[in-house]
């Protein structure tokens, strides 16, 4: 093996390790056309699984609103506090990007159980409004990304 081959092998190994590390650190994201009525796994970390799905909801207006609902499953034997923010990217703006003080959430999830958003909006932190048919300036949904995800 020449010195050039050794350097190439070392650099190649380093690049593979860095790419693998980066991909395991990246947060979950779902693009608009993959967001369905079925639960889709966004992130799995430290015994916590985060899922997302969408649903059209009757909120008392003539037209239905579209929400994304979140399910958090705690597979641990102790309660975990989960902090998260969702970035909702439209073609002309982003909700939850930049200063996230108003959109960041924190929720305690009991041991060996799950909590989920649904049409009663009982757990408001787990409901994301993604389409209000009366708000025409939002643009088309492009993606929803889990951001600032921490488990304590």
């Amino acid at each position: 093996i020449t010195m050039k081959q050794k350097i190439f092998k070392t650099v190649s190994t380093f690049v593979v390790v860095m790419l693998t590390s980066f991909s395991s650190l990246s947060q979950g994201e779902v693009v608009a056309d993959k967001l369905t009525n079925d639960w889709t796994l966004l992130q799995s970390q430290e015994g916590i699984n985060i899922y997302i799905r969408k649903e059209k909801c009757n909120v008392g207006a003539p037209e239905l609103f579209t929400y994304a609902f979140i399910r958090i499953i705690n597979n641990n034997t102790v309660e975990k506090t989960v902090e998260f923010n969702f970035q909702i990217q439209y073609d002309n703006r982003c909700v939850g990007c930049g200063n996230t003080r108003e959109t960041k959430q924190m929720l305690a999830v009991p041991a060996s159980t799950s909590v989920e958003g649904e049409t009663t909006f009982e757990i408001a932190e787990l409901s994301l409004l993604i389409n209000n048919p009366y708000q025409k300036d939002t643009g088309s949904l492009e993606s929803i990304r889990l951001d600032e995800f921490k488990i304590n």
Side-chain angles (χ1 to χ4, degrees), residues 44-97:
S44 184
Q45 183 178 316
E46 298 175 39
I48 299 290
N49 295 339
I50 309 270
Y51 294 85
I52 190 169
R53 71 180 185 89
K54 76 174 178 181
E55 185 174 340
K56 290 190 178 286
C57 302
N58 182 349
V59 296
E63 291 189 52
L64 298 176
F65 285 44
T66 306
Y67 281 84
F69 292 116
I70 309 304
R71 174 191 280 169
I72 303 174
I73 299 176
N74 179 0
N75 295 306
N76 297 289
T77 56
V78 295
E79 179 178 280
K80 293 289 183 175
T81 300
V82 180
E83 293 180 49
F84 54 91
N85 178 60
F86 281 95
Q87 294 180 346
I88 306 171
Q89 184 67 55
Y90 297 92
D91 58 7
N92 64 359
R93 71 182 186 123
C94 182
V95 175
C97 299

Side-chain angles (χ1 to χ4, degrees), residues 20-38:
T20 305
S21 298
F22 178 75
S23 68
S24 67
L25 291 175
S26 66
Q27 302 298 340
E29 181 174 18
V30 63
V31 293
D33 62 353
K34 300 287 187 213
L35 183 61
T36 69
N37 290 352
D38 297 322

Side-chain angles (χ1 to χ4, degrees), residues 81-85 104-107 146-152:
T81 300
V82 180
E83 293 180 49
F84 54 91
N85 178 60
K104 195 169 183 177
Q105 304 292 340
M106 181 185 297
L107 199 61
L146 177 61
D147 185 45
E148 300 180 47
F149 181 47
K150 294 186 185 120
I151 302 167
N152 298 313

Side-chain angles (χ1 to χ4, degrees), residues 89-149:
Q89 184 67 55
Y90 297 92
D91 58 7
N92 64 359
R93 71 182 186 123
C94 182
V95 175
C97 299
N99 183 350
T100 60
R101 265 196 344 223
E102 292 183 23
T103 56
K104 195 169 183 177
Q105 304 292 340
M106 181 185 297
L107 199 61
V109 184
S112 304
T113 191
S114 68
V115 292
E116 69 183 54
E118 38 71 44
T119 57
T120 65
F121 305 103
E122 191 173 315
I123 306 173
E125 297 89 343
L126 300 178
S127 303
L128 307 169
L129 176 62
I130 56 174
N131 182 33
N132 173 345
Y134 302 102
Q135 188 175 1
K136 302 295 185 194
D137 62 345
T138 306
S140 302
L141 178 68
E142 291 183 348
S143 65
I144 299 176
R145 186 167 86 89
L146 177 61
D147 185 45
E148 300 180 47
F149 181 47

